[in-house]
């Protein structure tokens, strides 16, 4: 488990690679056979998978499908994304 | 279905509250050219879209608009967090506060409540996509108008990001309209409505 700063840095990396995929996905919808875009999407997908796995192990799940708890449901305990810096 | 991912598409970390500004930005939550209307517009239009690529664009942009609604909501929430009654009265936020306290409710900056009359789902691919392109430009203008009033970098940054997305979506809807027209009679795009069976059989 890292510091809050480290958590935010990892989350930022996940958001960056996810955005790359969000943008490429829209492009692929109207250019479904663009080889360059298909390759880009595949590469970003592999990077994202690795980062999300690391985040989930250190700071808890981003998706409730990845939330596994033994005694107490943890999904509601992690910070919500809209909370931001203004406490 | 949709599933929630516990992150914003673009981060929002505002340190200084500003209820007056929140009141203006609220239009991009529940106003006529806001993110809620955008998402409902595209997701509703999908069912009458006969071309698979374009139904994909409507699904994926409609989904991204939900993420944008969450970004705008986070901005409003952080701009109004823990306000005192004095700050509320002095900023002009009192008219909103009396009905909603510091909760989020979709309305335009002028207090007009969100309504589905902000968008159309006409069941005609050319009509719907022409509306979608106009909607992206209207939202871009609204963000330009907001940016003239914002001097806090923490607020400008995510607003600039949202503005840029309007331009990209406009481009994708332009390509979608082209795909629809390529499937129609080039001498008369309006000869039939490809989403209406009785027309197609004619």
């Amino acid at each position: 488990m890292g510091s809050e700063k480290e958590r935010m840095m990892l989350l930022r990396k996940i958001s960056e690679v996810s955005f790359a995929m969000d943008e490429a996905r829209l492009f692929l919808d109207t250019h479904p056979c663009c080889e360059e875009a298909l390759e880009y999407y595949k590469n970003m997908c592999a990077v994202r998978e690795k980062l999300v796995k690391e985040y989930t192990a250190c700071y808890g799940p981003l998706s409730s499908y990845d939330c596994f708890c033994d005694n107490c449901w943890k999904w509601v305990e992690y910070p919500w994304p809209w909370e931001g810096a203004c406490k | 279905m949709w599933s929630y991912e516990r992150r914003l598409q673009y981060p929002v970390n505002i340190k200084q509250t500003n209820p007056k500004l929140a009141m203006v930005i609220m239009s991009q939550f529940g106003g006529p050219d806001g993110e809620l209307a955008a998402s409902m517009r595209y997701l509703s239009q999908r069912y009458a879209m006969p071309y698979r690529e374009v139904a994909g664009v409507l699904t994926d942009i409609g989904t991204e608009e939900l993420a944008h609604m969450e970004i705008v909501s986070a901005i409003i929430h952080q701009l109004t967090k823990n306000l005192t009654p004095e700050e509320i009265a002095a900023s002009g936020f009192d008219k909103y506060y009396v009905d909603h306290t510091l909760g989020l409710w979709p309305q335009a900056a002028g207090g007009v409540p969100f309504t589905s009359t902000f968008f159309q789902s006409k069941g005609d691919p050319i009509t719907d996509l022409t509306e979608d392109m106009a909607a992206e430009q209207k939202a871009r203008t609204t963000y330009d108008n907001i940016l003239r009033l914002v001097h806090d970098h923490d607020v400008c940054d995510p607003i600039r990001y949202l503005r840029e997305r309007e331009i990209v979506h406009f481009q994708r809807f332009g390509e979608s309209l082209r795909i629809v027209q390529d499937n129609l009679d080039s001498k008369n795009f309006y000869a039939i409505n490809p989403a209406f069976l009785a027309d197609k059989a004619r």
Side-chain angles (χ1 to χ4, degrees):
Chain A
M1 177 82 91
S3 66
E4 177 64 8
K5 200 177 160 195
E6 284 168 325
R7 184 182 79 85
M8 293 305 282
M9 269 171 61
L10 183 54
L11 193 59
R12 178 140 197 144
K13 277 191 203 164
I14 291 171
S15 289
E16 282 169 2
V17 68
S18 303
F19 173 71
M21 292 183 74
D22 293 342
E23 176 70 328
R25 186 181 312 114
L26 297 187
F27 180 83
L28 280 164
D29 284 343
T30 52
H31 306 76
C33 300
C34 175
E35 283 177 26
E36 198 185 334
L38 286 168
E39 183 69 18
Y40 181 81
Y41 197 79
K42 204 169 89 183
N43 291 340
M44 290 298 120
C45 187
V47 174
R48 185 180 193 280
E49 204 178 297
K50 193 170 161 279
L51 291 171
V52 169
K53 215 169 171 181
E54 186 188 337
Y55 186 96
T56 305
C58 291
Y59 306 106
L62 289 172
S63 159
S64 57
Y65 286 116
D66 298 327
C67 194
F68 309 107
C69 314
D70 289 329
N71 304 317
C72 186
W73 182 238
K74 295 268 178 60
W75 174 244
V76 293
E77 285 179 17
Y78 307 110
W80 293 106
W82 58 81
E83 289 174 333
C86 183
K87 302 283 185 215
Chain B
M1 71 162 285
W2 275 263
S3 72
Y4 187 67
E5 197 160 285
R6 207 183 191 96
R7 63 180 183 88
L8 296 181
Q9 196 193 26
Y10 193 90
V12 177
N13 288 299
I14 297 168
K15 293 163 211 82
Q16 184 63 50
T17 57
N18 187 337
K20 204 173 164 186
L21 192 55
M23 206 61 222
V24 171
I25 292 173
M26 196 169 293
S27 255
Q28 284 304 78
F29 173 33
D33 307 312
E35 303 291 356
L36 175 57
S39 182
M40 296 303 109
R41 176 186 297 112
Y42 308 145
L43 296 179
S44 302
Q45 289 175 354
R46 297 181 299 162
Y47 305 93
M49 184 52 70
Y51 308 110
R52 308 198 66 77
E53 308 94 312
V54 184
V57 170
L58 290 169
T59 300
D60 293 335
I61 297 185
T63 301
E64 188 179 339
E65 304 293 10
L66 282 178
H68 294 176
M69 187 181 81
E70 192 184 31
I71 295 172
V72 173
S73 300
I75 294 172
I76 299 164
H77 169 65
Q78 293 179 25
L79 283 173
T80 58
K81 197 158 186 185
N82 297 333
L83 291 177
T84 63
E86 292 73 25
E87 287 170 325
I88 290 166
S91 62
F93 199 70
D94 49 354
K95 291 179 196 68
Y96 178 88
Y97 153 85
V98 70
D99 289 324
H100 311 293
T101 325
L102 299 179
L104 260 87
W105 187 72
Q107 66 161 46
V112 178
F114 176 80
T115 151
S116 58
T117 55
F118 287 160
F119 64 88
Q120 204 15 314
S121 177
K122 201 72 178 173
D124 179 313
I126 291 183
T127 309
D128 282 347
L129 287 167
T130 306
E131 155 146 343
D132 300 346
M133 292 176 72
E136 295 295 333
Q137 289 300 339
K138 288 188 282 182
R140 194 265 308 155
T141 302
T142 310
Y143 283 124
D144 279 331
N145 291 346
I146 289 170
L147 282 168
R148 285 189 203 101
L149 304 177
V150 183
H151 306 292
D152 179 349
H153 172 266
D154 291 345
V155 183
C156 270
D157 188 47
I159 295 284
R160 281 204 195 98
Y161 166 80
L162 292 166
R163 177 190 177 276
E164 282 172 25
R165 297 310 291 156
E166 308 299 341
I167 297 165
V168 171
H169 292 172
F170 177 77
Q171 174 70 23
R172 298 281 95 90
F173 281 130
E175 289 161 1
S176 300
L177 181 58
R178 175 67 186 263
I179 288 169
V180 169
Q181 289 174 332
D182 284 348
N183 277 285
L184 297 174
D185 176 0
S186 62
K187 289 186 180 142
N188 183 2
F189 291 143
Y190 312 105
I192 62 151
N193 174 357
F196 198 63
L197 187 64
D199 242 17
K200 278 201 288 191
R202 213 170 59 195

